[in-house]
Amino acid sequence: MKKLMAGAVLLAVSSAASAVAPGGPNCGWGNMLFEGKSGTGAHFLASTTNGTSGNNTFGMTSGTNGCSVSGTLTYGGRAMINAMLNEFTEDVAVGQGDTLTAVAVALGVEKEDRAAFAQVTHENFGVLFPNENVTADEVIANLETLMLADARLAKYVA
Protein backbone atom coordinates (compact mmCIF):
# COMPACT_ATOMS: atom_id res chain seq x y z
CA MET A 1 0.00 0.00 0.00
CA LYS A 2 2.85 2.37 0.84
CA LYS A 3 4.37 1.75 -2.61
CA LEU A 4 1.10 2.71 -4.25
CA MET A 5 0.86 5.83 -2.13
CA ALA A 6 4.48 6.75 -2.82
CA GLY A 7 3.95 6.22 -6.54
CA ALA A 8 0.75 8.24 -6.54
CA VAL A 9 2.37 11.09 -4.64
CA LEU A 10 5.41 10.96 -6.89
CA LEU A 11 3.10 11.20 -9.85
CA ALA A 12 1.06 14.01 -8.31
CA VAL A 13 4.02 16.10 -7.28
CA SER A 14 5.80 15.52 -10.57
CA SER A 15 3.64 18.23 -12.10
CA ALA A 16 5.15 20.67 -9.59
CA ALA A 17 8.72 19.91 -10.64
CA SER A 18 9.80 22.38 -13.24
CA ALA A 19 13.16 20.86 -14.17
CA VAL A 20 12.73 17.09 -14.33
CA ALA A 21 9.83 14.89 -13.32
CA PRO A 22 10.63 12.31 -10.63
CA GLY A 23 12.14 9.34 -12.38
CA GLY A 24 12.72 11.32 -15.57
CA PRO A 25 10.42 12.18 -18.45
CA ASN A 26 9.96 8.58 -19.66
CA CYS A 27 9.45 6.87 -16.31
CA GLY A 28 6.80 4.20 -15.89
CA TRP A 29 4.71 1.67 -17.75
CA GLY A 30 2.14 4.33 -18.62
CA ASN A 31 4.75 6.24 -20.60
CA MET A 32 5.80 3.00 -22.31
CA LEU A 33 2.23 1.94 -23.15
CA PHE A 34 1.16 5.34 -24.47
CA GLU A 35 4.44 6.41 -26.07
CA GLY A 36 3.82 8.73 -29.00
CA LYS A 37 0.26 9.56 -27.94
CA SER A 38 -0.89 13.04 -26.97
CA GLY A 39 -3.95 14.63 -25.47
CA THR A 40 -5.72 14.54 -22.16
CA GLY A 41 -6.95 10.96 -22.51
CA ALA A 42 -3.51 9.49 -23.22
CA HIS A 43 -1.86 11.51 -20.45
CA PHE A 44 -4.59 10.58 -17.98
CA LEU A 45 -4.32 6.87 -18.80
CA ALA A 46 -0.52 6.98 -18.64
CA SER A 47 -0.67 8.75 -15.26
CA THR A 48 -3.24 6.30 -13.95
CA THR A 49 -1.16 3.33 -15.10
CA ASN A 50 1.95 4.74 -13.45
CA GLY A 51 0.16 5.78 -10.27
CA THR A 52 -1.92 2.71 -9.59
CA SER A 53 0.76 0.07 -10.02
CA GLY A 54 3.65 1.79 -8.25
CA ASN A 55 5.93 0.97 -11.14
CA ASN A 56 7.45 4.46 -11.07
CA THR A 57 8.82 3.91 -7.58
CA PHE A 58 10.09 0.49 -8.51
CA GLY A 59 11.63 1.88 -11.70
CA MET A 60 13.39 4.70 -9.88
CA THR A 61 14.85 2.42 -7.24
CA SER A 62 15.86 -0.33 -9.67
CA GLY A 63 16.78 1.76 -12.73
CA THR A 64 14.16 0.04 -14.91
CA ASN A 65 10.86 1.02 -16.59
CA GLY A 66 12.52 3.88 -18.43
CA CYS A 67 13.24 5.67 -15.16
CA SER A 68 16.36 7.61 -14.31
CA VAL A 69 17.13 9.64 -11.23
CA SER A 70 20.03 11.55 -12.76
CA GLY A 71 18.01 14.73 -13.30
CA THR A 72 17.76 17.44 -10.68
CA LEU A 73 14.38 18.25 -9.23
CA THR A 74 13.84 21.86 -8.40
CA TYR A 75 11.18 21.57 -5.75
CA GLY A 76 13.52 19.65 -3.42
CA GLY A 77 11.01 17.02 -2.34
CA ARG A 78 8.99 19.55 -0.33
CA ALA A 79 5.67 18.61 -1.90
CA MET A 80 6.35 14.94 -1.25
CA ILE A 81 7.24 15.45 2.41
CA ASN A 82 4.21 17.68 2.86
CA ALA A 83 1.94 15.03 1.39
CA MET A 84 3.50 12.05 3.15
CA LEU A 85 4.71 13.42 6.49
CA ASN A 86 3.17 10.63 8.59
CA GLU A 87 4.55 7.83 6.40
CA PHE A 88 7.94 9.57 6.20
CA THR A 89 8.01 9.86 10.00
CA GLU A 90 7.29 6.13 10.39
CA ASP A 91 9.99 5.15 7.90
CA VAL A 92 12.57 7.42 9.52
CA ALA A 93 11.74 5.88 12.91
CA VAL A 94 12.58 2.39 11.64
CA GLY A 95 15.38 3.50 9.30
CA GLN A 96 13.88 2.08 6.12
CA GLY A 97 10.81 2.03 3.93
CA ASP A 98 9.34 3.00 0.61
CA THR A 99 8.53 6.56 1.62
CA LEU A 100 12.05 7.14 2.93
CA THR A 101 13.43 5.84 -0.36
CA ALA A 102 10.97 7.91 -2.39
CA VAL A 103 11.95 11.09 -0.53
CA ALA A 104 15.63 10.29 -1.06
CA VAL A 105 14.98 9.80 -4.77
CA ALA A 106 12.99 13.05 -4.95
CA LEU A 107 15.87 14.89 -3.29
CA GLY A 108 18.23 13.47 -5.91
CA VAL A 109 20.14 11.21 -3.52
CA GLU A 110 22.01 8.68 -5.66
CA LYS A 111 21.41 4.97 -5.06
CA GLU A 112 24.85 4.48 -3.48
CA ASP A 113 24.11 7.20 -0.89
CA ARG A 114 20.55 6.15 0.07
CA ALA A 115 21.75 3.91 2.90
CA ALA A 116 23.63 6.90 4.33
CA PHE A 117 20.47 9.02 3.93
CA ALA A 118 18.44 6.41 5.80
CA GLN A 119 21.10 6.12 8.53
CA VAL A 120 21.45 9.88 9.05
CA THR A 121 17.70 10.45 9.21
CA HIS A 122 17.14 7.46 11.51
CA GLU A 123 19.98 8.40 13.89
CA ASN A 124 18.68 11.99 14.04
CA PHE A 125 14.97 11.26 14.42
CA GLY A 126 14.74 13.63 17.39
CA VAL A 127 16.37 16.42 15.39
CA LEU A 128 14.09 15.93 12.40
CA PHE A 129 10.93 15.63 14.48
CA PRO A 130 11.57 17.65 17.67
CA ASN A 131 7.92 17.48 18.78
CA GLU A 132 4.63 15.92 17.75
CA ASN A 133 3.40 19.18 16.22
CA VAL A 134 6.34 19.65 13.89
CA THR A 135 5.37 20.92 10.42
CA ALA A 136 6.59 19.62 7.12
CA ASP A 137 8.48 22.88 6.52
CA GLU A 138 10.32 22.44 9.84
CA VAL A 139 11.15 18.83 8.96
CA ILE A 140 12.51 19.94 5.60
CA ALA A 141 14.64 22.65 7.20
CA ASN A 142 15.97 20.16 9.76
CA LEU A 143 16.63 17.60 7.02
CA GLU A 144 18.60 20.12 4.97
CA THR A 145 20.68 21.05 8.02
CA LEU A 146 21.44 17.38 8.71
CA MET A 147 22.33 16.71 5.10
CA LEU A 148 24.65 19.73 4.95
CA ALA A 149 26.46 18.47 8.06
CA ASP A 150 27.07 15.06 6.49
CA ALA A 151 29.95 14.81 4.02
CA ARG A 152 28.14 12.13 1.96
CA LEU A 153 24.85 14.03 1.70
CA ALA A 154 25.87 17.70 1.58
CA LYS A 155 26.17 17.59 -2.20
CA TYR A 156 22.40 17.02 -2.54
CA VAL A 157 21.43 20.24 -0.78
CA ALA A 158 21.48 23.26 -3.06
Side-chain angles (χ1 to χ4, degrees), residues 73-135:
L73 300 173
T74 57
Y75 69 96
R78 290 179 188 274
M80 175 176 288
I81 292 174
N82 273 321
M84 303 175 72
L85 184 59
N86 290 337
E87 291 83 3
F88 181 63
T89 304
E90 293 171 7
D91 284 359
V92 170
V94 296
Q96 63 181 355
D98 295 332
T99 306
L100 185 60
T101 301
V103 169
V105 169
L107 292 172
V109 177
E110 297 290 333
K111 190 173 188 175
E112 61 270 14
D113 291 328
R114 290 185 198 146
F117 180 81
Q119 178 184 3
V120 166
T121 56
H122 177 66
E123 290 176 354
N124 292 284
F125 182 89
V127 174
L128 276 174
F129 308 99
N131 61 64
E132 64 186 45
N133 298 319
V134 67
T135 66

Side-chain angles (χ1 to χ4, degrees), residues 9-11 13-15 17 20-25 27 56 60 67-69 73 75 80 105-106:
V9 171
L10 275 174
L11 183 64
V13 298
S14 68
S15 63
V20 176
C27 184
N56 285 48
M60 285 186 277
C67 301
S68 170
V69 294
L73 300 173
Y75 69 96
M80 175 176 288
V105 169

